[in-house]
Amino acid sequence: KFKLKIDELKSEKDVYLYIFNNLEELNTIPPQLDNEKYRPIFERARISNLNKKEMTQYLAYKKQEDKIRLANKFKEEVAENRGMTRGMTKGMTEGLTKGLTKGLTKGINKEASIVVKNLLQENLFDLEKIAEIVQLPIQQVRQIEKNLLALNA
């Protein structure tokens, strides 16, 4: 029979044998064994020794604990989904805004280029006046003129 005292335990096997041989006499977990590794053994032993009323209360407590855990998990998932939705909405809004701005700017510049080309071909105004009318920088008007001359060459 196993007869080692708690301070004589040398191996993990000794610890398990000590616990199982002395479990009925132990009212509390010995400090040397009060850790994450051995605590569940003592907890299971405590639960298995509950009377019917205590077991009913314990099971009701565990059921309530599970409900709370599931409710918290649900809340976390809802919060995560809200965050993802907000992020996607913000991203799509920013993307649309950027795309529309870029597209409108490109369209406006294209239209302004067409007007500049038409004004240059009519030869009614000098480059500075065309830039003023179309509200484009003079360098851009010069570039359009250069491109137009290259096409006609």
Side-chain angles (χ1 to χ4, degrees):
K1 184 173 177 178
F2 187 83
K3 294 190 182 211
L4 291 178
K5 294 186 186 335
I6 196 158
D7 55 343
E8 299 172 331
L9 305 176
K10 292 185 176 36
S11 69
E12 197 168 329
K13 179 183 172 185
D14 290 346
V15 173
Y16 283 110
L17 288 170
Y18 176 83
I19 291 171
F20 292 119
N21 280 317
N22 296 290
L23 201 52
E24 287 183 20
E25 292 90 39
L26 295 171
N27 294 326
T28 60
I29 302 173
Q32 300 91 321
L33 304 177
D34 192 6
N35 58 50
E36 295 298 317
K37 189 173 192 175
Y38 302 116
R39 200 173 297 125
I41 297 169
F42 290 98
E43 180 62 16
R44 285 192 178 93
R46 183 189 68 76
I47 293 167
S48 68
N49 286 323
L50 295 176
N51 63 38
K52 189 175 182 177
K53 181 181 176 187
E54 292 169 331
M55 183 60 82
T56 302
Q57 290 172 339
Y58 172 78
L59 292 174
Y61 168 79
K62 288 306 260 181
K63 190 174 184 180
Q64 188 65 29
E65 194 176 67
D66 287 345
K67 285 180 183 178
I68 291 169
R69 184 182 47 77
L70 288 173
N72 287 336
K73 185 178 179 185
F74 178 74
K75 284 180 192 175
E76 287 173 13
E77 288 174 3
V78 167
E80 185 178 320
N81 287 338
R82 279 188 190 142
M84 286 182 0
T85 301
R86 284 182 186 140
M88 288 184 344
T89 301
K90 183 179 179 185
M92 287 189 293
T93 301
E94 288 176 6
L96 272 171
T97 302
K98 239 182 199 179
L100 285 171
T101 302
K102 188 175 180 180
L104 286 172
T105 301
K106 192 174 181 180
I108 290 169
N109 285 338
K110 186 175 181 179
E111 288 299 314
S113 294
I114 291 170
V115 172
V116 168
K117 284 179 189 176
N118 290 338
L119 289 172
L120 287 169
Q121 287 173 340
E122 293 295 323
N123 206 13
L124 297 173
F125 303 103
D126 62 15
L127 296 180
E128 287 78 17
K129 187 65 177 173
I130 292 173
E132 183 184 323
I133 292 169
V134 183
Q135 296 182 346
L136 286 177
I138 187 70
Q139 305 92 306
Q140 196 170 345
V141 173
R142 285 189 182 122
Q143 184 62 47
I144 294 168
E145 179 188 40
K146 185 177 171 185
N147 293 344
L148 186 60
L149 291 173
L151 284 174
N152 292 334

mmCIF file with all atom_site columns, all heavy atoms in Angstrom, residues 4 9 21 29 42 47 55-56 99 105 112 117 127 131 147 149:
data_model
loop_
_atom_site.group_PDB
_atom_site.id
_atom_site.type_symbol
_atom_site.label_atom_id
_atom_site.label_alt_id
_atom_site.label_comp_id
_atom_site.label_asym_id
_atom_site.label_entity_id
_atom_site.label_seq_id
_atom_site.pdbx_PDB_ins_code
_atom_site.Cartn_x
_atom_site.Cartn_y
_atom_site.Cartn_z
_atom_site.occupancy
_atom_site.B_iso_or_equiv
_atom_site.pdbx_formal_charge
_atom_site.auth_seq_id
_atom_site.auth_comp_id
_atom_site.auth_asym_id
_atom_site.auth_atom_id
_atom_site.pdbx_PDB_model_num
ATOM 1   N N   . LEU A 1 4   ? 3.498   7.083  1.357   1.00 0.00 ? 4   LEU A N   1
ATOM 2   C CA  . LEU A 1 4   ? 4.311   8.304  1.392   1.00 0.00 ? 4   LEU A CA  1
ATOM 3   C C   . LEU A 1 4   ? 3.487   9.479  1.912   1.00 0.00 ? 4   LEU A C   1
ATOM 4   O O   . LEU A 1 4   ? 2.300   9.586  1.657   1.00 0.00 ? 4   LEU A O   1
ATOM 5   C CB  . LEU A 1 4   ? 4.821   8.646  -0.019  1.00 0.00 ? 4   LEU A CB  1
ATOM 6   C CG  . LEU A 1 4   ? 5.858   7.709  -0.635  1.00 0.00 ? 4   LEU A CG  1
ATOM 7   C CD1 . LEU A 1 4   ? 6.221   8.174  -2.044  1.00 0.00 ? 4   LEU A CD1 1
ATOM 8   C CD2 . LEU A 1 4   ? 7.110   7.611  0.216   1.00 0.00 ? 4   LEU A CD2 1
ATOM 9   N N   . LEU A 1 9   ? 6.803   13.131 -1.600  1.00 0.00 ? 9   LEU A N   1
ATOM 10  C CA  . LEU A 1 9   ? 6.451   12.850 -2.994  1.00 0.00 ? 9   LEU A CA  1
ATOM 11  C C   . LEU A 1 9   ? 7.565   13.336 -3.922  1.00 0.00 ? 9   LEU A C   1
ATOM 12  O O   . LEU A 1 9   ? 8.000   14.469 -3.832  1.00 0.00 ? 9   LEU A O   1
ATOM 13  C CB  . LEU A 1 9   ? 5.121   13.522 -3.355  1.00 0.00 ? 9   LEU A CB  1
ATOM 14  C CG  . LEU A 1 9   ? 3.933   13.184 -2.450  1.00 0.00 ? 9   LEU A CG  1
ATOM 15  C CD1 . LEU A 1 9   ? 2.711   13.999 -2.857  1.00 0.00 ? 9   LEU A CD1 1
ATOM 16  C CD2 . LEU A 1 9   ? 3.636   11.704 -2.485  1.00 0.00 ? 9   LEU A CD2 1
ATOM 17  N N   . ASN A 1 21  ? -5.230  7.923  -2.839  1.00 0.00 ? 21  ASN A N   1
ATOM 18  C CA  . ASN A 1 21  ? -5.255  7.175  -1.584  1.00 0.00 ? 21  ASN A CA  1
ATOM 19  C C   . ASN A 1 21  ? -5.758  8.014  -0.412  1.00 0.00 ? 21  ASN A C   1
ATOM 20  O O   . ASN A 1 21  ? -6.219  7.465  0.592   1.00 0.00 ? 21  ASN A O   1
ATOM 21  C CB  . ASN A 1 21  ? -3.861  6.624  -1.251  1.00 0.00 ? 21  ASN A CB  1
ATOM 22  C CG  . ASN A 1 21  ? -3.548  5.369  -2.027  1.00 0.00 ? 21  ASN A CG  1
ATOM 23  O OD1 . ASN A 1 21  ? -4.384  4.481  -2.163  1.00 0.00 ? 21  ASN A OD1 1
ATOM 24  N ND2 . ASN A 1 21  ? -2.339  5.293  -2.566  1.00 0.00 ? 21  ASN A ND2 1
ATOM 25  N N   . ILE A 1 29  ? -7.602  21.254 -0.174  1.00 0.00 ? 29  ILE A N   1
ATOM 26  C CA  . ILE A 1 29  ? -6.491  20.926 -1.074  1.00 0.00 ? 29  ILE A CA  1
ATOM 27  C C   . ILE A 1 29  ? -5.198  21.309 -0.358  1.00 0.00 ? 29  ILE A C   1
ATOM 28  O O   . ILE A 1 29  ? -5.026  22.454 0.067   1.00 0.00 ? 29  ILE A O   1
ATOM 29  C CB  . ILE A 1 29  ? -6.602  21.706 -2.395  1.00 0.00 ? 29  ILE A CB  1
ATOM 30  C CG1 . ILE A 1 29  ? -7.941  21.413 -3.087  1.00 0.00 ? 29  ILE A CG1 1
ATOM 31  C CG2 . ILE A 1 29  ? -5.443  21.370 -3.319  1.00 0.00 ? 29  ILE A CG2 1
ATOM 32  C CD1 . ILE A 1 29  ? -8.212  22.254 -4.318  1.00 0.00 ? 29  ILE A CD1 1
ATOM 33  N N   . PHE A 1 42  ? -9.538  17.584 -7.337  1.00 0.00 ? 42  PHE A N   1
ATOM 34  C CA  . PHE A 1 42  ? -10.213 17.860 -6.062  1.00 0.00 ? 42  PHE A CA  1
ATOM 35  C C   . PHE A 1 42  ? -11.627 18.406 -6.300  1.00 0.00 ? 42  PHE A C   1
ATOM 36  O O   . PHE A 1 42  ? -12.551 18.084 -5.562  1.00 0.00 ? 42  PHE A O   1
ATOM 37  C CB  . PHE A 1 42  ? -9.383  18.836 -5.218  1.00 0.00 ? 42  PHE A CB  1
ATOM 38  C CG  . PHE A 1 42  ? -8.115  18.218 -4.701  1.00 0.00 ? 42  PHE A CG  1
ATOM 39  C CD1 . PHE A 1 42  ? -6.900  18.426 -5.347  1.00 0.00 ? 42  PHE A CD1 1
ATOM 40  C CD2 . PHE A 1 42  ? -8.117  17.421 -3.569  1.00 0.00 ? 42  PHE A CD2 1
ATOM 41  C CE1 . PHE A 1 42  ? -5.729  17.857 -4.875  1.00 0.00 ? 42  PHE A CE1 1
ATOM 42  C CE2 . PHE A 1 42  ? -6.947  16.846 -3.091  1.00 0.00 ? 42  PHE A CE2 1
ATOM 43  C CZ  . PHE A 1 42  ? -5.747  17.053 -3.746  1.00 0.00 ? 42  PHE A CZ  1
ATOM 44  N N   . ILE A 1 47  ? -17.517 17.524 -6.123  1.00 0.00 ? 47  ILE A N   1
ATOM 45  C CA  . ILE A 1 47  ? -18.814 17.437 -6.799  1.00 0.00 ? 47  ILE A CA  1
ATOM 46  C C   . ILE A 1 47  ? -19.416 16.040 -6.632  1.00 0.00 ? 47  ILE A C   1
ATOM 47  O O   . ILE A 1 47  ? -20.618 15.893 -6.380  1.00 0.00 ? 47  ILE A O   1
ATOM 48  C CB  . ILE A 1 47  ? -18.668 17.797 -8.293  1.00 0.00 ? 47  ILE A CB  1
ATOM 49  C CG1 . ILE A 1 47  ? -18.304 19.279 -8.429  1.00 0.00 ? 47  ILE A CG1 1
ATOM 50  C CG2 . ILE A 1 47  ? -19.945 17.484 -9.074  1.00 0.00 ? 47  ILE A CG2 1
ATOM 51  C CD1 . ILE A 1 47  ? -17.822 19.669 -9.813  1.00 0.00 ? 47  ILE A CD1 1
ATOM 52  N N   . MET A 1 55  ? -26.412 18.694 -5.356  1.00 0.00 ? 55  MET A N   1
ATOM 53  C CA  . MET A 1 55  ? -26.147 18.384 -6.766  1.00 0.00 ? 55  MET A CA  1
ATOM 54  C C   . MET A 1 55  ? -27.146 19.127 -7.662  1.00 0.00 ? 55  MET A C   1
ATOM 55  O O   . MET A 1 55  ? -26.768 19.671 -8.691  1.00 0.00 ? 55  MET A O   1
ATOM 56  C CB  . MET A 1 55  ? -26.224 16.875 -7.018  1.00 0.00 ? 55  MET A CB  1
ATOM 57  C CG  . MET A 1 55  ? -25.889 16.474 -8.449  1.00 0.00 ? 55  MET A CG  1
ATOM 58  S SD  . MET A 1 55  ? -24.230 16.948 -8.967  1.00 0.00 ? 55  MET A SD  1
ATOM 59  C CE  . MET A 1 55  ? -23.265 15.616 -8.276  1.00 0.00 ? 55  MET A CE  1
ATOM 60  N N   . THR A 1 56  ? -28.406 19.180 -7.255  1.00 0.00 ? 56  THR A N   1
ATOM 61  C CA  . THR A 1 56  ? -29.421 19.903 -8.011  1.00 0.00 ? 56  THR A CA  1
ATOM 62  C C   . THR A 1 56  ? -29.066 21.387 -8.088  1.00 0.00 ? 56  THR A C   1
ATOM 63  O O   . THR A 1 56  ? -29.143 21.998 -9.155  1.00 0.00 ? 56  THR A O   1
ATOM 64  C CB  . THR A 1 56  ? -30.808 19.715 -7.361  1.00 0.00 ? 56  THR A CB  1
ATOM 65  O OG1 . THR A 1 56  ? -31.092 18.310 -7.313  1.00 0.00 ? 56  THR A OG1 1
ATOM 66  C CG2 . THR A 1 56  ? -31.898 20.433 -8.128  1.00 0.00 ? 56  THR A CG2 1
ATOM 67  N N   . GLY A 1 99  ? -13.902 57.497 -55.659 1.00 0.00 ? 99  GLY A N   1
ATOM 68  C CA  . GLY A 1 99  ? -14.131 57.124 -57.056 1.00 0.00 ? 99  GLY A CA  1
ATOM 69  C C   . GLY A 1 99  ? -14.946 58.162 -57.803 1.00 0.00 ? 99  GLY A C   1
ATOM 70  O O   . GLY A 1 99  ? -14.619 58.527 -58.938 1.00 0.00 ? 99  GLY A O   1
ATOM 71  N N   . THR A 1 105 ? -13.780 64.579 -61.643 1.00 0.00 ? 105 THR A N   1
ATOM 72  C CA  . THR A 1 105 ? -12.630 65.430 -61.970 1.00 0.00 ? 105 THR A CA  1
ATOM 73  C C   . THR A 1 105 ? -12.105 65.084 -63.357 1.00 0.00 ? 105 THR A C   1
ATOM 74  O O   . THR A 1 105 ? -11.839 65.975 -64.177 1.00 0.00 ? 105 THR A O   1
ATOM 75  C CB  . THR A 1 105 ? -11.520 65.255 -60.918 1.00 0.00 ? 105 THR A CB  1
ATOM 76  O OG1 . THR A 1 105 ? -12.052 65.599 -59.645 1.00 0.00 ? 105 THR A OG1 1
ATOM 77  C CG2 . THR A 1 105 ? -10.316 66.126 -61.217 1.00 0.00 ? 105 THR A CG2 1
ATOM 78  N N   . ALA A 1 112 ? -13.169 70.127 -70.232 1.00 0.00 ? 112 ALA A N   1
ATOM 79  C CA  . ALA A 1 112 ? -12.403 71.374 -70.323 1.00 0.00 ? 112 ALA A CA  1
ATOM 80  C C   . ALA A 1 112 ? -11.387 71.275 -71.456 1.00 0.00 ? 112 ALA A C   1
ATOM 81  O O   . ALA A 1 112 ? -11.183 72.248 -72.203 1.00 0.00 ? 112 ALA A O   1
ATOM 82  C CB  . ALA A 1 112 ? -11.698 71.661 -68.996 1.00 0.00 ? 112 ALA A CB  1
ATOM 83  N N   . LYS A 1 117 ? -9.565  72.804 -76.857 1.00 0.00 ? 117 LYS A N   1
ATOM 84  C CA  . LYS A 1 117 ? -9.253  72.433 -78.247 1.00 0.00 ? 117 LYS A CA  1
ATOM 85  C C   . LYS A 1 117 ? -10.120 73.234 -79.221 1.00 0.00 ? 117 LYS A C   1
ATOM 86  O O   . LYS A 1 117 ? -9.635  73.765 -80.227 1.00 0.00 ? 117 LYS A O   1
ATOM 87  C CB  . LYS A 1 117 ? -9.475  70.936 -78.471 1.00 0.00 ? 117 LYS A CB  1
ATOM 88  C CG  . LYS A 1 117 ? -8.398  70.070 -77.905 1.00 0.00 ? 117 LYS A CG  1
ATOM 89  C CD  . LYS A 1 117 ? -8.715  68.594 -78.161 1.00 0.00 ? 117 LYS A CD  1
ATOM 90  C CE  . LYS A 1 117 ? -7.755  67.709 -77.397 1.00 0.00 ? 117 LYS A CE  1
ATOM 91  N NZ  . LYS A 1 117 ? -8.070  66.290 -77.538 1.00 0.00 ? 117 LYS A NZ  1
ATOM 92  N N   . LEU A 1 127 ? -3.737  82.144 -75.425 1.00 0.00 ? 127 LEU A N   1
ATOM 93  C CA  . LEU A 1 127 ? -3.691  81.055 -74.436 1.00 0.00 ? 127 LEU A CA  1
ATOM 94  C C   . LEU A 1 127 ? -4.099  81.511 -73.034 1.00 0.00 ? 127 LEU A C   1
ATOM 95  O O   . LEU A 1 127 ? -4.798  80.781 -72.325 1.00 0.00 ? 127 LEU A O   1
ATOM 96  C CB  . LEU A 1 127 ? -2.299  80.423 -74.398 1.00 0.00 ? 127 LEU A CB  1
ATOM 97  C CG  . LEU A 1 127 ? -1.849  79.721 -75.682 1.00 0.00 ? 127 LEU A CG  1
ATOM 98  C CD1 . LEU A 1 127 ? -0.454  79.133 -75.502 1.00 0.00 ? 127 LEU A CD1 1
ATOM 99  C CD2 . LEU A 1 127 ? -2.819  78.622 -76.066 1.00 0.00 ? 127 LEU A CD2 1
ATOM 100 N N   . ALA A 1 131 ? -7.220  80.016 -70.863 1.00 0.00 ? 131 ALA A N   1
ATOM 101 C CA  . ALA A 1 131 ? -7.014  79.472 -69.515 1.00 0.00 ? 131 ALA A CA  1
ATOM 102 C C   . ALA A 1 131 ? -7.967  80.130 -68.520 1.00 0.00 ? 131 ALA A C   1
ATOM 103 O O   . ALA A 1 131 ? -8.537  79.466 -67.651 1.00 0.00 ? 131 ALA A O   1
ATOM 104 C CB  . ALA A 1 131 ? -5.558  79.663 -69.084 1.00 0.00 ? 131 ALA A CB  1
ATOM 105 N N   . ASN A 1 147 ? -0.436  69.002 -77.733 1.00 0.00 ? 147 ASN A N   1
ATOM 106 C CA  . ASN A 1 147 ? -1.008  67.725 -78.173 1.00 0.00 ? 147 ASN A CA  1
ATOM 107 C C   . ASN A 1 147 ? -1.805  67.912 -79.459 1.00 0.00 ? 147 ASN A C   1
ATOM 108 O O   . ASN A 1 147 ? -1.780  67.062 -80.363 1.00 0.00 ? 147 ASN A O   1
ATOM 109 C CB  . ASN A 1 147 ? -1.903  67.116 -77.092 1.00 0.00 ? 147 ASN A CB  1
ATOM 110 C CG  . ASN A 1 147 ? -1.136  66.696 -75.865 1.00 0.00 ? 147 ASN A CG  1
ATOM 111 O OD1 . ASN A 1 147 ? 0.087   66.581 -75.895 1.00 0.00 ? 147 ASN A OD1 1
ATOM 112 N ND2 . ASN A 1 147 ? -1.850  66.493 -74.762 1.00 0.00 ? 147 ASN A ND2 1
ATOM 113 N N   . LEU A 1 149 ? -1.364  70.259 -81.783 1.00 0.00 ? 149 LEU A N   1
ATOM 114 C CA  . LEU A 1 149 ? -0.427  70.508 -82.884 1.00 0.00 ? 149 LEU A CA  1
ATOM 115 C C   . LEU A 1 149 ? 0.226   69.210 -83.338 1.00 0.00 ? 149 LEU A C   1
ATOM 116 O O   . LEU A 1 149 ? 0.433   68.984 -84.526 1.00 0.00 ? 149 LEU A O   1
ATOM 117 C CB  . LEU A 1 149 ? 0.635   71.527 -82.461 1.00 0.00 ? 149 LEU A CB  1
ATOM 118 C CG  . LEU A 1 149 ? 0.125   72.963 -82.250 1.00 0.00 ? 149 LEU A CG  1
ATOM 119 C CD1 . LEU A 1 149 ? 1.232   73.849 -81.673 1.00 0.00 ? 149 LEU A CD1 1
ATOM 120 C CD2 . LEU A 1 149 ? -0.400  73.546 -83.549 1.00 0.00 ? 149 LEU A CD2 1
#
